[in-house]
Every structure is written in structure tokens, then in C-alpha cells.
Amino acid sequence: KRFKEATAAFQKADAAQPNAALLSYRLARVALAQDQPAMAREKLQPYLEKQLTDEGLEPYELLAEVLQALGRTSELVPKLEALHKADPRNVPLGYFLAERNHQARQWDQAKPLLHALIQRAPAAVGYRSLVEIYRSQQQSELLLDVLGQMVERTSTLETLGTEAVKALTGDTATVQALLATARKRAQSAAEPLALGPSLAMALLAQETKQAAVSAEFFERAIQAKPDRAA
């Protein structure tokens, strides 16, 4: 809580490597820590206007805290949407907005944004949100696609995080629907089931103690990509 010293240190750092917008964001943090949300809001604005990504999600988290302190929480999503419209390639901003839409169950807004983000800059939070949305909506085709994309990139379900994996593996109806969808897709296609969905189902069956099913889909994964059989 040594706010004068903190301010002086941030200003000294900025003198060594000037970045007025970044300094303004850092001083906004100090202002909020001093229970001065109006000042924090004013100081945060230059960072938001400069469309920077240096500080990742933290400036948008700070914006949420500031608006909450001001009793203006309802302004957060419209403000984020305006910022995203002006700077659609800002990945941290996109993920923060998508998560807010996800939490508010505004799934029609969250889904296209999340799909675009994981194509441009894959992140665990994006996969986790899409998996939760499609599981809640019982959309096994789309859920299989998302799991397949993730596992092909990472070779593990653990990218989702422990709690999300538990939620998925504990949802027996969804697991069975996914397996049925994968088998149907494999039977109707002229070529083997793609590597991602095959491997995702193999790992999911392994997690749910279905050894024979797991072996079946590991075999399908090998057929899809023999050069990655090992």
C-alpha cells in the first residue's frame, strides 16, 4: 500500500522505456487500489484506445472491477463489444468478451467468437468454454469436432483442466452420444475417421474405464494417420 512509491517507480520505468498508454494503465491500477475508481476509469481509457495487448487479460479485468466499484457493471459488455468492433484482432480482448458472454449464457454471441479465436490463437479457455457450451446444448456433432481439434493439437484432454474433464467424463449421456456420433461418422465416411475425433474418443473412453472402446478408437486413430502410429 505504498502508493506514492509505486507511482514513482512506474514513472521511472516509463522514463527508461516510454509508453504513455501502458503507464496510464499501471497508474489506473494504483488509483483503484486507493479506492478511486473514477480516476482509475479515466487513466485506463488511453490503454484501451491504443488497442494494446501487452498486458493480456488484466486491463479488461481491471475495467470490470472499476465499473463494479462505480456501480456501472451493466456497461461492461457493451464497452467490450465496442472495443472488439474497433479492434477485432485483439486476442486477449476477444477471449475476455467471449468469456463474459459465456458466463451470461449468451451462447449465440460467444460461439462464433470462440471459434475464430481458437483458429487464430488456440487457448485452453477457448476450448473449455466451447466444450461446456456444446455439452450443455447436447450438440454431440459440434462437441466432437471441438474435442477433435483440441486433442489433435495437444494429444490430451487435460488441456480442458481437471474440473472440466471431470464434468465431461461424469456426463454419461454425453459420453455415449459422442461415441455414437463418432461411430456413425466413421461408418458413413469413405475414409477412416479423422485423427482428432478418433484420438479424442480413445482418450475419453480411457478416462471412463472403457478399455475395449478405447482400443477401438486408438486403432481408428492409427488408421487415420499411420505415420503417427507410435
Side-chain angles (χ1 to χ4, degrees), residues 41 62-73 75-76:
R41 180 72 185 85
L62 180 63
L63 176 61
E65 291 175 24
V66 166
L67 291 176
Q68 183 176 13
L70 291 170
R72 293 161 55 185
T73 302
E75 297 178 19
L76 178 61

Side-chain angles (χ1 to χ4, degrees), residues 208-219:
T208 54
K209 311 299 183 187
Q210 301 180 70
V213 177
S214 182
E216 170 196 340
F217 281 98
F218 276 127
E219 290 289 352

Side-chain angles (χ1 to χ4, degrees), residues 1 6 8 15 17 22-23 31 56 69 78 101 110 118 127 138 182-183 186 201 216:
K1 308 298 182 181
Q17 192 170 350
L22 190 55
L23 174 61
N101 284 328
I118 63 174
Y127 288 119
Q138 299 180 330
R183 286 185 175 127
M201 290 303 94
E216 170 196 340

